[in-house]
Amino acid sequence: AESGCHASHEVTVVKDITVPTVKITGNQVIDCLTGEITLTADATNAASYLWSNGSTESSITVSEGGKYSVTVTAESGCHASHEVTVVKDVTVPTLTLSTSGELNCETDKVTLSAISNGSVEWFLGETSIGSGLSIEVAQEGIYSAVALLEATGCTATQTIEVILDLTPFIVTLPS
């Protein structure tokens, strides 16, 4: 200015370009044992979360298979995303039962057999009486077999009845 005085002011403008990072963590397989799983957005510099299902929390619980993604946004407005595929495997084991016959005056034991792609446990009522694809029994009643598919934790149950037939045999002798 004309008075010879000068004034100045310096301003430093800093642009915040902090970039967040995110990775979805947690088990990504749903089976008969888990039923549902929790997916967590493991993030740095995240001010907000937005999941593909609309949730704005850092974790979500899911019970269906499919693709799930999360986008995290930093205070700077920068964002990062991550996506995972959740697999739902609730494959049930196959199970078919058969019996070698019925109990009667001549047969005091019968064999119950199972055809299954899982491990089989046998029950009479609520009592476990053995395991394996076949079992020998000497008592009438309703037997059940429970097959377990280890890979999924899923089970299948079937029942079979063992009958006791005490109808007397009629023997005709030649005269």
Side-chain angles (χ1 to χ4, degrees), residues 7-35:
S8 69
H9 182 64
E10 187 176 301
V11 176
T12 304
V13 176
V14 178
K15 183 175 182 181
D16 181 2
I17 55 169
T18 304
V19 178
T21 61
V22 65
K23 181 177 182 184
I24 298 173
T25 60
N27 179 15
Q28 294 167 14
V29 177
I30 298 170
D31 57 26
C32 290
L33 296 176
T34 58

Side-chain angles (χ1 to χ4, degrees), residues 98-100 109-114 120-123 128-138 143-145:
S98 63
T99 179
S100 63
K109 290 181 184 175
V110 294
T111 300
L112 302 179
S113 299
V120 177
E121 186 167 359
W122 295 91
F123 294 86
S128 173
I129 58 170
S131 60
L133 293 178
S134 65
I135 190 167
E136 208 171 53
V137 297
Y143 291 82
S144 60

Side-chain angles (χ1 to χ4, degrees), residues 30-44:
I30 298 170
D31 57 26
C32 290
L33 296 176
T34 58
E36 62 183 26
I37 58 171
T38 299
L39 299 176
T40 300
D42 185 9
T44 59

Side-chain angles (χ1 to χ4, degrees), residues 26-126:
N27 179 15
Q28 294 167 14
V29 177
I30 298 170
D31 57 26
C32 290
L33 296 176
T34 58
E36 62 183 26
I37 58 171
T38 299
L39 299 176
T40 300
D42 185 9
T44 59
N45 303 314
S48 66
Y49 301 83
L50 180 59
W51 289 87
S52 52
N53 68 354
S55 174
T56 56
E57 303 297 320
S58 61
S59 295
I60 60 171
T61 300
V62 299
S63 58
E64 294 300 323
K67 291 184 184 293
Y68 293 89
S69 63
V70 64
T71 299
V72 296
T73 304
E75 292 289 344
S76 65
C78 297
H79 60 272
S81 298
H82 188 226
E83 179 180 87
V84 293
T85 300
V86 172
V87 175
K88 185 170 186 176
D89 186 357
V90 289
T91 304
V92 176
T94 59
L95 180 61
T96 305
L97 303 182
S98 63
T99 179
S100 63
E102 58 186 33
L103 299 171
N104 56 42
C105 294
E106 293 182 343
T107 306
D108 62 350
K109 290 181 184 175
V110 294
T111 300
L112 302 179
S113 299
I115 299 172
S116 180
N117 61 342
S119 58
V120 177
E121 186 167 359
W122 295 91
F123 294 86
L124 177 57
E126 298 292 319

